mmCIF file of all heavy atoms in Angstrom:
data_model
loop_
_atom_site.group_PDB
_atom_site.id
_atom_site.type_symbol
_atom_site.label_atom_id
_atom_site.label_comp_id
_atom_site.label_asym_id
_atom_site.label_seq_id
_atom_site.Cartn_x
_atom_site.Cartn_y
_atom_site.Cartn_z
ATOM 1 N N PHE A 144 210.557 27.187 93.899
ATOM 2 C CA PHE A 144 211.156 28.577 93.747
ATOM 3 C C PHE A 144 210.020 29.522 94.326
ATOM 4 O O PHE A 144 209.275 30.062 93.451
ATOM 5 C CB PHE A 144 211.515 28.876 92.392
ATOM 6 C CG PHE A 144 212.504 27.972 91.729
ATOM 7 C CD1 PHE A 144 212.108 26.909 90.895
ATOM 8 C CD2 PHE A 144 213.807 28.093 92.062
ATOM 9 C CE1 PHE A 144 213.098 26.124 90.318
ATOM 10 C CE2 PHE A 144 214.881 27.286 91.429
ATOM 11 C CZ PHE A 144 214.390 26.265 90.683
ATOM 12 N N PRO A 145 209.965 29.720 95.588
ATOM 13 C CA PRO A 145 208.799 30.458 96.203
ATOM 14 C C PRO A 145 208.977 32.043 96.084
ATOM 15 O O PRO A 145 208.059 32.718 96.532
ATOM 16 C CB PRO A 145 208.769 30.002 97.621
ATOM 17 C CG PRO A 145 210.206 29.585 97.882
ATOM 18 C CD PRO A 145 210.825 29.122 96.575
ATOM 19 N N TYR A 146 210.039 32.634 95.604
ATOM 20 C CA TYR A 146 210.231 33.986 95.566
ATOM 21 C C TYR A 146 210.406 34.470 94.135
ATOM 22 O O TYR A 146 210.877 33.802 93.245
ATOM 23 C CB TYR A 146 211.599 34.329 96.391
ATOM 24 C CG TYR A 146 211.302 34.235 97.858
ATOM 25 C CD1 TYR A 146 211.568 33.008 98.554
ATOM 26 C CD2 TYR A 146 210.906 35.406 98.617
ATOM 27 C CE1 TYR A 146 211.358 32.972 99.944
ATOM 28 C CE2 TYR A 146 210.718 35.261 99.999
ATOM 29 C CZ TYR A 146 210.938 34.048 100.590
ATOM 30 O OH TYR A 146 210.634 33.999 101.971
ATOM 31 N N LEU A 147 210.004 35.789 93.931
ATOM 32 C CA LEU A 147 210.260 36.448 92.749
ATOM 33 C C LEU A 147 211.060 37.658 92.867
ATOM 34 O O LEU A 147 210.911 38.422 93.841
ATOM 35 C CB LEU A 147 208.938 36.822 92.104
ATOM 36 C CG LEU A 147 207.995 35.720 91.552
ATOM 37 C CD1 LEU A 147 206.743 36.264 91.077
ATOM 38 C CD2 LEU A 147 208.806 34.896 90.469
ATOM 39 N N ARG A 148 211.968 37.929 91.948
ATOM 40 C CA ARG A 148 212.749 39.276 92.025
ATOM 41 C C ARG A 148 212.264 39.947 90.720
ATOM 42 O O ARG A 148 212.435 39.394 89.586
ATOM 43 C CB ARG A 148 214.256 38.985 92.117
ATOM 44 C CG ARG A 148 215.056 40.304 92.039
ATOM 45 C CD ARG A 148 216.426 40.110 92.109
ATOM 46 N NE ARG A 148 216.833 39.533 93.407
ATOM 47 C CZ ARG A 148 217.817 38.691 93.527
ATOM 48 N NH1 ARG A 148 218.556 38.253 92.553
ATOM 49 N NH2 ARG A 148 218.078 38.205 94.781
ATOM 50 N N TYR A 149 212.004 41.211 90.837
ATOM 51 C CA TYR A 149 211.825 42.095 89.665
ATOM 52 C C TYR A 149 213.126 42.680 89.187
ATOM 53 O O TYR A 149 213.828 43.284 89.863
ATOM 54 C CB TYR A 149 210.900 43.304 90.142
ATOM 55 C CG TYR A 149 210.396 44.161 89.034
ATOM 56 C CD1 TYR A 149 209.079 43.990 88.606
ATOM 57 C CD2 TYR A 149 211.112 45.069 88.433
ATOM 58 C CE1 TYR A 149 208.510 44.847 87.638
ATOM 59 C CE2 TYR A 149 210.535 45.888 87.410
ATOM 60 C CZ TYR A 149 209.194 45.675 86.999
ATOM 61 O OH TYR A 149 208.712 46.502 85.959
ATOM 62 N N ASN A 150 213.476 42.271 87.967
ATOM 63 C CA ASN A 150 214.659 42.793 87.369
ATOM 64 C C ASN A 150 214.446 43.759 86.138
ATOM 65 O O ASN A 150 213.864 43.436 85.186
ATOM 66 C CB ASN A 150 215.578 41.611 86.825
ATOM 67 C CG ASN A 150 216.108 40.785 87.971
ATOM 68 O OD1 ASN A 150 216.459 41.364 89.093
ATOM 69 N ND2 ASN A 150 216.106 39.447 87.848
ATOM 70 N N ALA A 151 214.904 44.974 86.319
ATOM 71 C CA ALA A 151 214.760 46.052 85.297
ATOM 72 C C ALA A 151 216.115 46.046 84.577
ATOM 73 O O ALA A 151 217.259 45.845 85.108
ATOM 74 C CB ALA A 151 214.491 47.303 85.884
ATOM 75 N N VAL A 152 216.053 46.298 83.262
ATOM 76 C CA VAL A 152 217.288 46.693 82.531
ATOM 77 C C VAL A 152 217.638 48.046 82.911
ATOM 78 O O VAL A 152 216.883 48.992 82.534
ATOM 79 C CB VAL A 152 217.005 46.500 80.986
ATOM 80 C CG1 VAL A 152 218.267 46.966 80.230
ATOM 81 C CG2 VAL A 152 216.602 45.050 80.701
ATOM 82 N N MET A 153 218.743 48.239 83.515
ATOM 83 C CA MET A 153 219.141 49.658 84.074
ATOM 84 C C MET A 153 220.124 50.262 83.001
ATOM 85 O O MET A 153 221.302 49.802 82.922
ATOM 86 C CB MET A 153 219.899 49.436 85.381
ATOM 87 C CG MET A 153 218.934 48.863 86.440
ATOM 88 S SD MET A 153 217.380 49.865 86.755
ATOM 89 C CE MET A 153 218.033 51.131 87.672
ATOM 90 N N ASP A 154 219.560 51.265 82.296
ATOM 91 C CA ASP A 154 220.285 51.962 81.395
ATOM 92 C C ASP A 154 219.606 53.405 81.167
ATOM 93 O O ASP A 154 218.709 53.791 81.845
ATOM 94 C CB ASP A 154 220.511 51.261 80.018
ATOM 95 C CG ASP A 154 219.222 50.910 79.328
ATOM 96 O OD1 ASP A 154 218.165 51.554 79.513
ATOM 97 O OD2 ASP A 154 219.255 50.072 78.434
ATOM 98 N N ALA A 155 220.161 54.067 80.169
ATOM 99 C CA ALA A 155 219.560 55.468 79.949
ATOM 100 C C ALA A 155 218.024 55.447 79.551
ATOM 101 O O ALA A 155 217.337 56.415 79.659
ATOM 102 C CB ALA A 155 220.320 56.196 78.868
ATOM 103 N N HIS A 156 217.557 54.244 79.110
ATOM 104 C CA HIS A 156 216.116 54.157 78.727
ATOM 105 C C HIS A 156 215.209 53.668 79.755
ATOM 106 O O HIS A 156 214.018 53.419 79.468
ATOM 107 C CB HIS A 156 216.125 53.266 77.426
ATOM 108 C CG HIS A 156 216.882 53.758 76.278
ATOM 109 N ND1 HIS A 156 216.635 54.868 75.566
ATOM 110 C CD2 HIS A 156 218.144 53.352 75.704
ATOM 111 C CE1 HIS A 156 217.549 55.038 74.641
ATOM 112 N NE2 HIS A 156 218.477 54.086 74.692
ATOM 113 N N THR A 157 215.713 53.292 80.969
ATOM 114 C CA THR A 157 214.848 52.705 81.930
ATOM 115 C C THR A 157 213.873 53.759 82.526
ATOM 116 O O THR A 157 214.316 54.884 82.817
ATOM 117 C CB THR A 157 215.812 52.207 83.139
ATOM 118 O OG1 THR A 157 216.765 51.277 82.612
ATOM 119 C CG2 THR A 157 214.962 51.473 84.166
ATOM 120 N N SER A 158 212.600 53.373 82.529
ATOM 121 C CA SER A 158 211.562 54.278 83.042
ATOM 122 C C SER A 158 211.653 54.501 84.518
ATOM 123 O O SER A 158 212.140 53.583 85.271
ATOM 124 C CB SER A 158 210.226 53.750 82.628
ATOM 125 O OG SER A 158 209.787 52.655 83.491
ATOM 126 N N GLU A 159 211.143 55.512 84.979
ATOM 127 C CA GLU A 159 210.976 55.700 86.456
ATOM 128 C C GLU A 159 210.254 54.562 87.177
ATOM 129 O O GLU A 159 210.501 54.251 88.252
ATOM 130 C CB GLU A 159 210.503 57.114 86.775
ATOM 131 C CG GLU A 159 211.401 58.191 86.377
ATOM 132 C CD GLU A 159 212.827 58.161 87.108
ATOM 133 O OE1 GLU A 159 212.810 57.848 88.344
ATOM 134 O OE2 GLU A 159 213.817 58.408 86.430
ATOM 135 N N ILE A 160 209.186 54.137 86.446
ATOM 136 C CA ILE A 160 208.372 53.046 87.079
ATOM 137 C C ILE A 160 209.182 51.829 87.362
ATOM 138 O O ILE A 160 209.094 51.227 88.428
ATOM 139 C CB ILE A 160 207.249 52.685 85.947
ATOM 140 C CG1 ILE A 160 206.315 53.841 85.830
ATOM 141 C CG2 ILE A 160 206.506 51.448 86.388
ATOM 142 C CD1 ILE A 160 205.425 53.672 84.451
ATOM 143 N N CYS A 161 210.108 51.534 86.411
ATOM 144 C CA CYS A 161 210.855 50.330 86.522
ATOM 145 C C CYS A 161 212.125 50.470 87.449
ATOM 146 O O CYS A 161 212.475 49.587 88.226
ATOM 147 C CB CYS A 161 211.249 49.783 85.217
ATOM 148 S SG CYS A 161 209.859 49.286 84.183
ATOM 149 N N LYS A 162 212.657 51.671 87.460
ATOM 150 C CA LYS A 162 213.816 51.979 88.385
ATOM 151 C C LYS A 162 213.472 51.636 89.779
ATOM 152 O O LYS A 162 214.253 51.106 90.544
ATOM 153 C CB LYS A 162 214.295 53.397 88.154
ATOM 154 C CG LYS A 162 215.105 53.652 87.064
ATOM 155 C CD LYS A 162 215.567 55.029 86.969
ATOM 156 C CE LYS A 162 216.222 55.467 85.650
ATOM 157 N NZ LYS A 162 216.527 56.879 85.538
ATOM 158 N N VAL A 163 212.311 52.153 90.206
ATOM 159 C CA VAL A 163 211.951 51.979 91.727
ATOM 160 C C VAL A 163 211.666 50.583 91.959
ATOM 161 O O VAL A 163 211.674 50.091 93.179
ATOM 162 C CB VAL A 163 210.833 53.004 92.103
ATOM 163 C CG1 VAL A 163 211.247 54.372 91.991
ATOM 164 C CG2 VAL A 163 209.545 52.694 91.418
ATOM 165 N N LEU A 164 211.237 49.706 91.059
ATOM 166 C CA LEU A 164 210.801 48.407 91.324
ATOM 167 C C LEU A 164 212.063 47.420 91.220
ATOM 168 O O LEU A 164 211.924 46.257 91.662
ATOM 169 C CB LEU A 164 209.723 47.961 90.282
ATOM 170 C CG LEU A 164 208.452 48.656 90.374
ATOM 171 C CD1 LEU A 164 207.501 48.283 89.353
ATOM 172 C CD2 LEU A 164 207.760 48.434 91.747
ATOM 173 N N ASN A 165 213.070 47.885 90.580
ATOM 174 C CA ASN A 165 214.233 46.982 90.280
ATOM 175 C C ASN A 165 214.677 46.325 91.639
ATOM 176 O O ASN A 165 214.912 46.930 92.667
ATOM 177 C CB ASN A 165 215.393 47.814 89.703
ATOM 178 C CG ASN A 165 216.470 46.850 89.235
ATOM 179 O OD1 ASN A 165 216.293 45.852 88.642
ATOM 180 N ND2 ASN A 165 217.705 47.251 89.565
ATOM 181 N N ARG A 166 214.884 45.062 91.547
ATOM 182 C CA ARG A 166 215.415 44.113 92.606
ATOM 183 C C ARG A 166 214.459 43.887 93.715
ATOM 184 O O ARG A 166 214.837 43.252 94.884
ATOM 185 C CB ARG A 166 216.783 44.704 93.130
ATOM 186 C CG ARG A 166 217.818 44.959 92.140
ATOM 187 C CD ARG A 166 218.903 44.126 91.808
ATOM 188 N NE ARG A 166 219.534 43.376 92.807
ATOM 189 C CZ ARG A 166 219.827 42.052 92.530
ATOM 190 N NH1 ARG A 166 219.514 41.488 91.352
ATOM 191 N NH2 ARG A 166 220.423 41.345 93.475
ATOM 192 N N THR A 167 213.122 44.365 93.585
ATOM 193 C CA THR A 167 212.229 44.003 94.579
ATOM 194 C C THR A 167 212.024 42.441 94.603
ATOM 195 O O THR A 167 211.899 41.837 93.625
ATOM 196 C CB THR A 167 210.832 44.721 94.261
ATOM 197 O OG1 THR A 167 211.022 46.040 94.178
ATOM 198 C CG2 THR A 167 209.707 44.298 95.228
ATOM 199 N N THR A 168 212.091 41.941 95.788
ATOM 200 C CA THR A 168 212.001 40.521 95.979
ATOM 201 C C THR A 168 210.959 40.162 97.013
ATOM 202 O O THR A 168 211.030 40.584 98.169
ATOM 203 C CB THR A 168 213.364 39.880 96.372
ATOM 204 O OG1 THR A 168 214.355 40.407 95.425
ATOM 205 C CG2 THR A 168 213.361 38.379 96.408
ATOM 206 N N LEU A 169 209.980 39.325 96.565
ATOM 207 C CA LEU A 169 208.810 38.955 97.426
ATOM 208 C C LEU A 169 208.362 37.540 97.113
ATOM 209 O O LEU A 169 208.679 37.074 95.996
ATOM 210 C CB LEU A 169 207.677 39.932 97.362
ATOM 211 C CG LEU A 169 207.875 41.348 97.640
ATOM 212 C CD1 LEU A 169 206.907 42.307 97.140
ATOM 213 C CD2 LEU A 169 207.931 41.507 99.177
ATOM 214 N N LYS A 170 207.528 36.892 97.964
ATOM 215 C CA LYS A 170 206.989 35.651 97.696
ATOM 216 C C LYS A 170 206.124 35.685 96.371
ATOM 217 O O LYS A 170 205.537 36.719 96.119
ATOM 218 C CB LYS A 170 206.228 35.076 98.891
ATOM 219 C CG LYS A 170 207.172 34.747 99.986
ATOM 220 C CD LYS A 170 206.282 33.773 100.960
ATOM 221 C CE LYS A 170 207.310 33.139 101.839
ATOM 222 N NZ LYS A 170 207.041 31.777 102.181
ATOM 223 N N VAL A 171 206.051 34.561 95.668
ATOM 224 C CA VAL A 171 205.254 34.477 94.523
ATOM 225 C C VAL A 171 203.900 34.937 94.767
ATOM 226 O O VAL A 171 203.173 35.570 93.896
ATOM 227 C CB VAL A 171 205.351 32.964 93.935
ATOM 228 C CG1 VAL A 171 204.301 32.833 92.853
ATOM 229 C CG2 VAL A 171 206.728 32.729 93.431
ATOM 230 N N ASP A 172 203.320 34.512 95.940
ATOM 231 C CA ASP A 172 201.869 34.711 96.124
ATOM 232 C C ASP A 172 201.581 36.047 96.800
ATOM 233 O O ASP A 172 200.424 36.354 97.087
ATOM 234 C CB ASP A 172 201.251 33.661 97.006
ATOM 235 C CG ASP A 172 201.197 32.263 96.304
ATOM 236 O OD1 ASP A 172 200.927 32.254 95.042
ATOM 237 O OD2 ASP A 172 201.446 31.199 96.958
ATOM 238 N N ASP A 173 202.596 36.970 96.920
ATOM 239 C CA ASP A 173 202.443 38.270 97.415
ATOM 240 C C ASP A 173 201.502 39.061 96.455
ATOM 241 O O ASP A 173 201.649 38.995 95.268
ATOM 242 C CB ASP A 173 203.693 38.932 97.592
ATOM 243 C CG ASP A 173 203.558 40.161 98.434
ATOM 244 O OD1 ASP A 173 202.975 41.127 97.994
ATOM 245 O OD2 ASP A 173 204.116 40.146 99.599
ATOM 246 N N SER A 174 200.553 39.745 97.032
ATOM 247 C CA SER A 174 199.580 40.558 96.255
ATOM 248 C C SER A 174 200.188 41.639 95.479
ATOM 249 O O SER A 174 199.738 42.227 94.391
ATOM 250 C CB SER A 174 198.517 41.156 97.124
ATOM 251 O OG SER A 174 199.023 41.979 98.038
ATOM 252 N N PHE A 175 201.420 42.030 95.816
ATOM 253 C CA PHE A 175 202.127 43.014 95.056
ATOM 254 C C PHE A 175 202.338 42.685 93.602
ATOM 255 O O PHE A 175 202.150 43.569 92.774
ATOM 256 C CB PHE A 175 203.640 43.057 95.680
ATOM 257 C CG PHE A 175 204.616 43.932 94.964
ATOM 258 C CD1 PHE A 175 204.667 45.317 95.289
ATOM 259 C CD2 PHE A 175 205.479 43.426 93.995
ATOM 260 C CE1 PHE A 175 205.592 46.177 94.568
ATOM 261 C CE2 PHE A 175 206.392 44.309 93.347
ATOM 262 C CZ PHE A 175 206.320 45.661 93.588
ATOM 263 N N TRP A 176 202.432 41.413 93.346
ATOM 264 C CA TRP A 176 202.626 40.997 91.873
ATOM 265 C C TRP A 176 201.399 41.128 91.132
ATOM 266 O O TRP A 176 201.445 41.100 89.829
ATOM 267 C CB TRP A 176 203.137 39.531 91.782
ATOM 268 C CG TRP A 176 204.446 39.384 92.605
ATOM 269 C CD1 TRP A 176 204.698 38.581 93.691
ATOM 270 C CD2 TRP A 176 205.768 40.055 92.305
ATOM 271 N NE1 TRP A 176 206.018 38.705 94.052
ATOM 272 C CE2 TRP A 176 206.675 39.596 93.242
ATOM 273 C CE3 TRP A 176 206.114 40.979 91.363
ATOM 274 C CZ2 TRP A 176 207.960 40.125 93.234
ATOM 275 C CZ3 TRP A 176 207.438 41.363 91.391
ATOM 276 C CH2 TRP A 176 208.436 40.940 92.278
ATOM 277 N N ASP A 177 200.247 41.266 91.778
ATOM 278 C CA ASP A 177 198.958 41.517 91.003
ATOM 279 C C ASP A 177 199.066 42.742 90.187
ATOM 280 O O ASP A 177 198.300 42.911 89.176
ATOM 281 C CB ASP A 177 197.817 41.563 91.952
ATOM 282 C CG ASP A 177 197.565 40.241 92.644
ATOM 283 O OD1 ASP A 177 198.112 39.137 92.145
ATOM 284 O OD2 ASP A 177 196.846 40.119 93.637
#
Side-chain angles (χ1 to χ4, degrees):
F144 301 102
Y146 286 89
L147 290 177
R148 179 180 295 144
Y149 191 102
N150 290 325
V152 175
M153 299 301 284
D154 60 21
H156 303 289
T157 306
S158 74
E159 290 303 317
I160 295 168
C161 298
K162 280 181 188 176
V163 298
L164 296 174
N165 188 44
R166 311 256 331 134
T167 298
T168 306
L169 297 164
K170 287 201 166 214
V171 168
D172 291 327
D173 194 291
S174 62
F175 175 86
W176 303 118
D177 294 344

